[in-house]
Amino acid sequence: MRAVWGLLGLVVVLAMVGVLARKSWHAGQESLARQTQSVPAGHNRAPEAAQVGDQARQVQQQYRQQLASALNAQRPVPDQAQ
């Protein structure tokens, strides 16, 4: 009898989680639909994407330069004590 109540409780909890997940999913889909509808049909987002891509390339180039300079920097040689 105890196992039946445990199983029944598990089924109830899973049903509640499923309902909440479905509500969350539909809310996200509706929000996405509203966002895409608010953008005018003639609006072009390509320049924004190009700017982000250019910024990403600049950051990558700066990182590579700094990494190369750090790897090529001479380390000080400690004096050998005799």
Side-chain angles (χ1 to χ4, degrees):
M1 188 68 178
R2 189 178 208 182
V4 172
W5 286 111
L7 186 61
L8 184 63
L10 181 63
V11 169
V12 169
V13 169
L14 287 175
M16 289 172 41
V17 169
V19 168
L20 291 174
R22 185 185 311 168
K23 284 183 181 180
S24 176
W25 175 263
H26 288 299
Q29 293 296 325
E30 290 173 3
S31 174
L32 182 61
R34 274 187 261 122
Q35 288 175 358
T36 56
Q37 289 174 356
S38 66
V39 176
H43 184 70
N44 187 5
R45 292 188 176 210
E48 294 174 6
Q51 289 176 355
V52 171
D54 291 341
Q55 289 175 352
R57 280 190 282 285
Q58 288 175 352
V59 169
Q60 289 174 355
Q61 185 63 28
Q62 289 174 354
Y63 178 79
R64 286 183 185 127
Q65 289 173 349
Q66 291 175 355
L67 182 63
S69 66
L71 290 174
N72 293 332
Q74 294 181 356
R75 295 186 301 173
V77 178
D79 293 334
Q80 294 182 0
Q82 291 185 1

Coordinates of all heavy atoms in Angstrom, one line a residue:
M1 N 0.8 -1.2 0.0 CA 0.0 0.0 0.0 C 0.9 1.3 0.0 O 0.5 2.3 -0.6 CB -0.9 -0.1 1.2 CG -1.9 1.0 1.3 SD -3.1 0.7 0.0 CE -4.2 2.0 0.2
R2 N 2.0 1.2 0.7 CA 2.9 2.3 0.8 C 3.5 2.6 -0.6 O 3.6 3.8 -0.9 CB 4.0 2.0 1.8 CG 4.8 3.1 2.1 CD 5.9 2.7 3.2 NE 6.3 3.8 4.0 CZ 7.2 3.8 4.9 NH1 7.7 2.6 5.2 NH2 7.5 4.8 5.6
A3 N 3.8 1.6 -1.3 CA 4.4 1.8 -2.6 C 3.4 2.4 -3.6 O 3.7 3.2 -4.5 CB 4.9 0.4 -3.2
V4 N 2.1 2.0 -3.4 CA 1.1 2.6 -4.3 C 0.9 4.1 -4.0 O 0.9 4.9 -5.0 CB -0.3 1.9 -4.0 CG1 -1.4 2.6 -4.8 CG2 -0.2 0.4 -4.4
W5 N 1.0 4.5 -2.8 CA 0.9 5.9 -2.5 C 2.1 6.7 -3.0 O 2.0 7.8 -3.4 CB 0.7 6.2 -1.0 CG -0.7 5.8 -0.5 CD1 -1.1 4.8 0.3 CD2 -1.9 6.5 -0.9 NE1 -2.4 4.8 0.4 CE2 -3.0 5.8 -0.3 CE3 -2.2 7.6 -1.6 CZ2 -4.3 6.2 -0.4 CZ3 -3.5 8.0 -1.8 CH2 -4.5 7.3 -1.1
G6 N 3.3 6.1 -2.8 CA 4.5 6.7 -3.3 C 4.5 6.9 -4.8 O 4.9 7.9 -5.4
L7 N 4.0 5.8 -5.5 CA 3.9 5.9 -7.0 C 2.8 7.0 -7.4 O 3.1 7.7 -8.4 CB 3.5 4.5 -7.6 CG 3.5 4.4 -9.1 CD1 4.9 4.7 -9.7 CD2 3.1 3.0 -9.5
L8 N 1.7 7.0 -6.7 CA 0.7 8.0 -7.0 C 1.2 9.4 -6.8 O 1.0 10.3 -7.6 CB -0.6 7.7 -6.1 CG -1.8 8.6 -6.4 CD1 -2.3 8.4 -7.8 CD2 -2.9 8.3 -5.4
G9 N 1.9 9.6 -5.7 CA 2.5 10.9 -5.4 C 3.5 11.3 -6.5 O 3.6 12.5 -6.9
L10 N 4.3 10.4 -7.0 CA 5.3 10.6 -8.0 C 4.6 11.0 -9.3 O 5.0 12.0 -10.0 CB 6.1 9.4 -8.3 CG 7.2 9.6 -9.3 CD1 8.2 10.6 -8.9 CD2 7.9 8.2 -9.5
V11 N 3.5 10.4 -9.6 CA 2.7 10.7 -10.8 C 2.1 12.1 -10.7 O 2.1 12.9 -11.7 CB 1.6 9.6 -11.1 CG1 0.6 10.1 -12.2 CG2 2.2 8.3 -11.5
V12 N 1.6 12.4 -9.6 CA 1.0 13.8 -9.4 C 2.1 14.8 -9.5 O 1.9 15.9 -10.2 CB 0.3 13.9 -8.0 CG1 0.0 15.3 -7.7 CG2 -0.9 13.0 -8.0
V13 N 3.2 14.6 -8.9 CA 4.3 15.6 -9.0 C 4.8 15.7 -10.5 O 5.0 16.9 -11.0 CB 5.5 15.2 -8.1 CG1 6.7 16.0 -8.4 CG2 5.1 15.4 -6.7
L14 N 4.9 14.6 -11.2 CA 5.3 14.7 -12.6 C 4.3 15.4 -13.5 O 4.6 16.2 -14.4 CB 5.6 13.3 -13.2 CG 6.9 12.6 -12.7 CD1 6.9 11.2 -13.2 CD2 8.1 13.4 -13.1
A15 N 3.0 15.2 -13.1 CA 2.0 15.9 -13.9 C 2.1 17.4 -13.6 O 1.9 18.2 -14.6 CB 0.6 15.4 -13.5
M16 N 2.3 17.8 -12.4 CA 2.4 19.3 -12.1 C 3.6 19.9 -12.8 O 3.6 21.0 -13.4 CB 2.5 19.4 -10.6 CG 1.2 19.2 -9.8 SD 1.4 19.2 -8.0 CE 2.4 20.5 -7.7
V17 N 4.7 19.2 -12.8 CA 5.9 19.7 -13.5 C 5.7 19.8 -15.0 O 6.1 20.7 -15.6 CB 7.1 18.7 -13.2 CG1 8.3 19.0 -14.1 CG2 7.6 18.8 -11.8
G18 N 5.0 18.8 -15.6 CA 4.6 18.9 -17.0 C 3.7 20.1 -17.3 O 4.0 20.8 -18.3
V19 N 2.8 20.3 -16.5 CA 1.9 21.5 -16.7 C 2.7 22.8 -16.6 O 2.5 23.7 -17.5 CB 0.7 21.5 -15.7 CG1 -0.1 22.8 -15.7 CG2 -0.2 20.3 -16.0
L20 N 3.5 22.9 -15.6 CA 4.3 24.1 -15.5 C 5.3 24.3 -16.6 O 5.5 25.4 -17.1 CB 5.1 24.1 -14.1 CG 4.2 24.2 -12.9 CD1 5.0 24.0 -11.7 CD2 3.5 25.6 -12.9
A21 N 5.9 23.2 -17.1 CA 6.8 23.3 -18.2 C 6.1 23.7 -19.5 O 6.6 24.5 -20.3 CB 7.5 21.9 -18.4
R22 N 4.9 23.2 -19.7 CA 4.1 23.6 -20.9 C 3.7 25.0 -20.8 O 3.8 25.7 -21.8 CB 2.8 22.7 -21.0 CG 2.1 23.0 -22.3 CD 0.8 22.3 -22.3 NE 0.9 20.8 -22.0 CZ -0.1 20.0 -21.8 NH1 -1.3 20.5 -21.9 NH2 0.1 18.8 -21.6
K23 N 3.3 25.5 -19.7 CA 3.0 27.0 -19.5 C 4.2 27.8 -19.8 O 4.1 28.8 -20.5 CB 2.5 27.3 -18.1 CG 1.1 26.8 -17.9 CD 0.6 27.2 -16.5 CE -0.8 26.7 -16.3 NZ -1.3 27.1 -15.0
S24 N 5.4 27.4 -19.3 CA 6.6 28.2 -19.5 C 7.0 28.2 -21.0 O 7.4 29.2 -21.6 CB 7.7 27.6 -18.7 OG 8.9 28.2 -19.0
W25 N 6.8 27.0 -21.6 CA 7.2 26.9 -23.1 C 6.3 27.8 -23.9 O 6.7 28.5 -24.8 CB 7.0 25.4 -23.5 CG 7.2 25.2 -25.0 CD1 6.2 25.1 -25.9 CD2 8.4 25.1 -25.7 NE1 6.8 25.0 -27.1 CE2 8.2 25.0 -27.0 CE3 9.8 25.2 -25.2 CZ2 9.2 24.8 -28.0 CZ3 10.7 25.0 -26.2 CH2 10.4 24.9 -27.5
H26 N 5.0 27.8 -23.6 CA 4.0 28.6 -24.4 C 4.3 30.1 -24.2 O 4.2 30.9 -25.1 CB 2.6 28.2 -24.1 CG 2.2 26.9 -24.7 ND1 2.2 26.6 -26.0 CD2 1.8 25.7 -24.1 CE1 1.8 25.4 -26.2 NE2 1.6 24.8 -25.1
A27 N 4.6 30.4 -22.9 CA 4.9 31.8 -22.7 C 6.1 32.3 -23.4 O 6.2 33.4 -24.0 CB 5.1 32.0 -21.2
G28 N 7.1 31.5 -23.5 CA 8.3 31.8 -24.3 C 8.1 31.9 -25.7 O 8.6 32.8 -26.4
Q29 N 7.2 31.0 -26.3 CA 6.9 31.1 -27.7 C 6.1 32.3 -28.0 O 6.3 33.0 -29.0 CB 6.1 29.8 -28.1 CG 6.9 28.5 -28.0 CD 8.0 28.5 -29.0 OE1 7.9 29.1 -30.1 NE2 9.1 28.0 -28.6
E30 N 5.1 32.7 -27.1 CA 4.3 33.9 -27.3 C 5.2 35.2 -27.3 O 5.0 36.1 -28.1 CB 3.2 34.0 -26.3 CG 2.1 32.9 -26.5 CD 1.1 32.9 -25.3 OE1 1.3 33.8 -24.4 OE2 0.2 32.1 -25.4
S31 N 6.2 35.2 -26.4 CA 7.1 36.3 -26.3 C 7.9 36.4 -27.5 O 8.1 37.5 -28.0 CB 8.0 36.1 -25.0 OG 8.9 37.1 -25.0
L32 N 8.4 35.3 -28.0 CA 9.2 35.3 -29.2 C 8.3 35.8 -30.4 O 8.8 36.6 -31.3 CB 9.7 33.9 -29.5 CG 10.6 33.8 -30.7 CD1 11.9 34.7 -30.6 CD2 11.1 32.3 -30.9
A33 N 7.1 35.4 -30.5 CA 6.2 35.8 -31.6 C 5.9 37.3 -31.5 O 5.9 38.0 -32.5 CB 4.9 35.0 -31.5
R34 N 5.7 37.8 -30.3 CA 5.5 39.3 -30.2 C 6.8 40.0 -30.6 O 6.7 41.1 -31.2 CB 5.1 39.6 -28.7 CG 3.7 39.5 -28.5 CD 3.3 40.0 -27.1 NE 3.2 38.8 -26.3 CZ 3.9 38.6 -25.1 NH1 4.7 39.5 -24.7 NH2 3.7 37.5 -24.5
Q35 N 7.9 39.5 -30.2 CA 9.2 40.2 -30.6 C 9.4 40.3 -32.1 O 9.8 41.3 -32.7 CB 10.4 39.6 -29.9 CG 10.5 39.8 -28.5 CD 11.6 39.0 -27.8 OE1 12.3 38.3 -28.5 NE2 11.8 39.2 -26.5
T36 N 9.1 39.2 -32.8 CA 9.3 39.1 -34.2 C 8.2 39.9 -34.9 O 8.5 40.5 -36.0 CB 9.3 37.7 -34.7 OG1 8.0 37.1 -34.4 CG2 10.4 36.9 -34.2
Q37 N 7.0 40.1 -34.4 CA 6.0 40.9 -35.0 C 6.2 42.3 -34.8 O 5.8 43.1 -35.6 CB 4.6 40.5 -34.4 CG 4.1 39.1 -34.8 CD 2.8 38.8 -34.1 OE1 2.4 39.5 -33.2 NE2 2.3 37.6 -34.4
S38 N 7.0 42.7 -33.8 CA 7.2 44.2 -33.5 C 8.2 44.7 -34.4 O 8.4 45.9 -34.6 CB 7.6 44.4 -32.0 OG 8.8 43.8 -31.8
V39 N 9.0 43.9 -35.1 CA 10.1 44.4 -36.0 C 9.4 44.6 -37.4 O 8.7 43.7 -37.9 CB 11.2 43.3 -36.2 CG1 12.2 43.8 -37.2 CG2 11.9 43.1 -34.9
P40 N 9.5 45.8 -37.9 CA 8.9 46.1 -39.2 C 9.5 45.2 -40.3 O 10.6 44.7 -40.2 CB 9.3 47.6 -39.5 CG 9.7 48.1 -38.2 CD 10.2 47.0 -37.3
A41 N 8.7 45.0 -41.3 CA 9.0 44.0 -42.4 C 10.3 44.5 -43.1 O 11.1 43.7 -43.6 CB 7.9 43.8 -43.3
G42 N 10.4 45.8 -43.3 CA 11.6 46.3 -44.1 C 12.8 46.5 -43.3 O 13.8 46.9 -43.8
H43 N 12.7 46.2 -42.0 CA 13.9 46.5 -41.1 C 14.9 45.4 -41.3 O 14.7 44.2 -41.4 CB 13.4 46.4 -39.6 CG 14.5 46.7 -38.7 ND1 15.0 48.0 -38.5 CD2 15.2 45.9 -37.8 CE1 16.0 47.9 -37.6 NE2 16.1 46.7 -37.2
N44 N 16.2 45.9 -41.5 CA 17.3 44.9 -41.8 C 18.2 44.9 -40.6 O 18.7 46.0 -40.3 CB 18.0 45.4 -43.1 CG 19.0 44.4 -43.5 OD1 19.1 43.3 -42.9 ND2 19.7 44.7 -44.6
R45 N 18.5 43.8 -40.0 CA 19.4 43.7 -38.9 C 20.8 43.3 -39.3 O 21.6 43.1 -38.5 CB 18.8 42.7 -37.9 CG 17.6 43.1 -37.2 CD 17.2 42.2 -36.1 NE 16.1 42.7 -35.4 CZ 15.8 42.5 -34.1 NH1 16.7 41.8 -33.4 NH2 14.8 43.0 -33.6
A46 N 21.0 43.2 -40.6 CA 22.3 42.8 -41.1 C 23.5 43.7 -40.6 O 24.5 43.3 -40.2 CB 22.3 42.6 -42.6
P47 N 23.3 45.1 -40.7 CA 24.4 45.9 -40.2 C 24.7 45.7 -38.7 O 25.9 45.7 -38.4 CB 23.8 47.3 -40.4 CG 22.8 47.2 -41.5 CD 22.2 45.8 -41.3
E48 N 23.7 45.4 -37.9 CA 24.0 45.2 -36.5 C 24.8 43.9 -36.4 O 25.8 43.8 -35.6 CB 22.7 45.0 -35.7 CG 22.0 46.3 -35.6 CD 20.6 46.2 -34.9 OE1 20.3 45.0 -34.4 OE2 19.8 47.1 -34.9
A49 N 24.5 42.9 -37.1 CA 25.2 41.6 -37.1 C 26.6 41.8 -37.6 O 27.5 41.2 -37.0 CB 24.4 40.5 -37.9
A50 N 26.8 42.6 -38.6 CA 28.1 42.8 -39.1 C 29.0 43.5 -38.1 O 30.2 43.2 -38.0 CB 28.0 43.6 -40.4
Q51 N 28.4 44.5 -37.4 CA 29.1 45.2 -36.3 C 29.6 44.2 -35.2 O 30.7 44.3 -34.8 CB 28.3 46.3 -35.8 CG 28.1 47.5 -36.7 CD 27.2 48.5 -36.1 OE1 26.6 48.4 -35.1 NE2 27.0 49.6 -36.9
V52 N 28.7 43.4 -34.8 CA 29.0 42.4 -33.8 C 30.1 41.5 -34.3 O 31.1 41.1 -33.6 CB 27.8 41.6 -33.4 CG1 28.1 40.4 -32.5 CG2 26.8 42.5 -32.7
G53 N 30.0 41.0 -35.5 CA 31.1 40.2 -36.1 C 32.4 40.9 -36.2 O 33.4 40.3 -35.9
D54 N 32.4 42.2 -36.6 CA 33.6 42.9 -36.6 C 34.2 43.1 -35.2 O 35.5 42.9 -35.0 CB 33.4 44.3 -37.2 CG 33.1 44.3 -38.7 OD1 33.4 43.2 -39.3 OD2 32.5 45.2 -39.2
Q55 N 33.4 43.3 -34.2 CA 33.9 43.5 -32.9 C 34.5 42.1 -32.4 O 35.5 42.1 -31.7 CB 32.8 43.9 -31.9 CG 32.3 45.3 -32.1 CD 31.1 45.7 -31.3 OE1 30.5 44.8 -30.6 NE2 30.8 47.0 -31.2
A56 N 33.8 41.0 -32.7 CA 34.3 39.7 -32.3 C 35.7 39.5 -32.9 O 36.6 39.0 -32.3 CB 33.4 38.6 -32.7
R57 N 35.8 39.8 -34.2 CA 37.2 39.6 -34.9 C 38.2 40.5 -34.2 O 39.4 40.1 -34.1 CB 37.0 39.9 -36.4 CG 36.4 38.7 -37.1 CD 36.5 38.9 -38.6 NE 35.5 39.8 -39.1 CZ 34.2 39.5 -39.3 NH1 33.8 38.4 -39.0 NH2 33.4 40.4 -39.8
Q58 N 37.9 41.7 -33.9 CA 38.8 42.6 -33.2 C 39.3 42.1 -31.9 O 40.5 42.1 -31.6 CB 38.2 44.0 -33.1 CG 38.1 44.8 -34.3 CD 37.4 46.1 -34.1 OE1 36.9 46.4 -33.0 NE2 37.3 46.9 -35.2
V59 N 38.3 41.6 -31.1 CA 38.7 41.0 -29.8 C 39.6 39.8 -30.0 O 40.6 39.6 -29.3 CB 37.4 40.6 -29.0 CG1 37.7 39.8 -27.8 CG2 36.7 41.9 -28.6
Q60 N 39.3 38.9 -31.0 CA 40.1 37.7 -31.2 C 41.5 38.1 -31.7 O 42.5 37.6 -31.2 CB 39.5 36.9 -32.3 CG 38.2 36.2 -31.8 CD 37.6 35.4 -33.0 OE1 38.0 35.5 -34.1 NE2 36.5 34.7 -32.7
Q61 N 41.6 39.2 -32.5 CA 42.9 39.6 -33.0 C 43.7 40.2 -31.8 O 44.9 39.9 -31.7 CB 42.8 40.7 -34.1 CG 44.1 41.1 -34.7 CD 44.8 40.0 -35.4 OE1 44.2 39.0 -35.9 NE2 46.1 40.1 -35.4
Q62 N 43.1 41.0 -30.9 CA 43.8 41.5 -29.8 C 44.3 40.4 -28.8 O 45.4 40.5 -28.3 CB 42.9 42.5 -29.0 CG 42.6 43.8 -29.7 CD 41.6 44.6 -29.0 OE1 41.0 44.2 -28.0 NE2 41.4 45.8 -29.4
Y63 N 43.4 39.4 -28.7 CA 43.8 38.3 -27.8 C 45.0 37.5 -28.4 O 46.0 37.2 -27.7 CB 42.6 37.3 -27.7 CG 42.9 36.1 -26.9 CD1 42.9 36.1 -25.5 CD2 43.2 34.9 -27.5 CE1 43.2 35.0 -24.7 CE2 43.5 33.7 -26.7 CZ 43.5 33.8 -25.4 OH 43.8 32.7 -24.6
R64 N 45.0 37.3 -29.7 CA 46.1 36.6 -30.3 C 47.4 37.4 -30.2 O 48.5 36.9 -29.9 CB 45.8 36.4 -31.8 CG 44.8 35.3 -32.0 CD 44.6 35.0 -33.5 NE 43.5 34.0 -33.7 CZ 42.5 34.2 -34.5 NH1 42.4 35.3 -35.2 NH2 41.6 33.3 -34.6
Q65 N 47.3 38.7 -30.4 CA 48.5 39.6 -30.3 C 49.0 39.6 -28.8 O 50.3 39.5 -28.6 CB 48.2 41.0 -30.7 CG 47.9 41.2 -32.2 CD 47.4 42.6 -32.5 OE1 47.1 43.4 -31.7 NE2 47.4 42.9 -33.8
Q66 N 48.2 39.7 -27.9 CA 48.6 39.7 -26.5 C 49.2 38.3 -26.1 O 50.2 38.3 -25.4 CB 47.5 40.0 -25.5 CG 47.0 41.5 -25.6 CD 45.8 41.8 -24.8 OE1 45.2 40.9 -24.2 NE2 45.4 43.0 -24.8
L67 N 48.6 37.2 -26.6 CA 49.1 35.9 -26.3 C 50.5 35.7 -26.9 O 51.4 35.2 -26.3 CB 48.2 34.8 -26.8 CG 48.6 33.4 -26.5 CD1 48.6 33.1 -25.1 CD2 47.6 32.5 -27.2
A68 N 50.7 36.2 -28.2 CA 51.9 36.1 -28.9 C 53.0 36.9 -28.1 O 54.1 36.4 -28.0 CB 51.8 36.5 -30.3
S69 N 52.7 38.1 -27.7 CA 53.7 38.9 -27.0 C 54.0 38.3 -25.7 O 55.2 38.4 -25.2 CB 53.2 40.3 -26.9 OG 52.0 40.4 -26.0
A70 N 53.1 37.7 -25.0 CA 53.4 37.0 -23.7 C 54.2 35.8 -23.9 O 55.1 35.6 -23.1 CB 52.1 36.7 -23.0
L71 N 54.0 35.1 -24.9 CA 54.8 33.9 -25.2 C 56.2 34.2 -25.7 O 57.2 33.5 -25.4 CB 54.1 33.0 -26.2 CG 52.8 32.3 -25.8 CD1 52.2 31.5 -26.9 CD2 53.1 31.3 -24.6
N72 N 56.4 35.3 -26.4 CA 57.7 35.7 -26.9 C 58.5 36.6 -25.9 O 59.6 36.9 -26.2 CB 57.5 36.4 -28.2 CG 57.0 35.5 -29.3 OD1 57.2 34.3 -29.2 ND2 56.2 36.1 -30.2
A73 N 57.9 37.0 -24.8 CA 58.6 37.9 -23.9 C 59.7 37.1 -23.2 O 59.5 35.9 -22.9 CB 57.6 38.4 -22.8
Q74 N 60.8 37.7 -23.0 CA 61.9 37.1 -22.4 C 61.7 37.1 -20.9 O 61.4 38.1 -20.3 CB 63.2 37.8 -22.7 CG 63.6 37.6 -24.2 CD 64.9 38.3 -24.5 OE1 65.5 38.9 -23.7 NE2 65.4 38.2 -25.7
R75 N 62.0 36.0 -20.3 CA 61.9 35.9 -18.8 C 63.2 36.2 -18.2 O 64.3 35.9 -18.8 CB 61.5 34.5 -18.4 CG 60.1 34.1 -18.9 CD 59.7 32.8 -18.3 NE 60.6 31.7 -18.7 CZ 60.5 30.5 -18.3 NH1 59.6 30.1 -17.4 NH2 61.4 29.6 -18.7
P76 N 63.2 36.9 -17.1 CA 64.5 37.2 -16.4 C 65.2 35.9 -15.9 O 64.5 35.0 -15.4 CB 64.1 38.1 -15.3 CG 62.7 37.8 -15.0 CD 62.1 37.4 -16.3
V77 N 66.4 35.8 -16.1 CA 67.2 34.6 -15.7 C 67.7 34.9 -14.3 O 68.4 35.9 -14.1 CB 68.4 34.3 -16.7 CG1 69.2 33.1 -16.2 CG2 67.8 34.1 -18.1
P78 N 67.4 34.0 -13.4 CA 67.9 34.3 -12.0 C 69.4 34.1 -12.0 O 70.0 33.3 -12.7 CB 67.2 33.2 -11.2 CG 66.8 32.2 -12.1 CD 66.6 32.9 -13.5
D79 N 70.1 34.9 -11.1 CA 71.5 34.8 -10.9 C 71.8 33.4 -10.3 O 71.2 32.9 -9.4 CB 72.0 35.9 -10.0 CG 71.9 37.2 -10.7 OD1 71.9 37.3 -11.9 OD2 71.8 38.2 -9.9
Q80 N 72.9 32.8 -10.9 CA 73.3 31.5 -10.3 C 74.2 31.7 -9.1 O 75.2 32.4 -9.2 CB 74.0 30.7 -11.4 CG 73.1 30.3 -12.5 CD 73.8 29.5 -13.6 OE1 75.0 29.2 -13.4 NE2 73.1 29.1 -14.6
A81 N 73.8 31.2 -8.0 CA 74.6 31.4 -6.8 C 75.6 30.2 -6.7 O 75.3 29.1 -6.9 CB 73.7 31.4 -5.6
Q82 N 76.8 30.6 -6.4 CA 77.9 29.6 -6.3 C 78.5 29.5 -5.0 O 78.7 30.4 -4.3 CB 78.9 29.8 -7.4 CG 78.4 29.5 -8.8 CD 79.5 29.6 -9.9 OE1 80.6 29.8 -9.6 NE2 79.1 29.4 -11.1

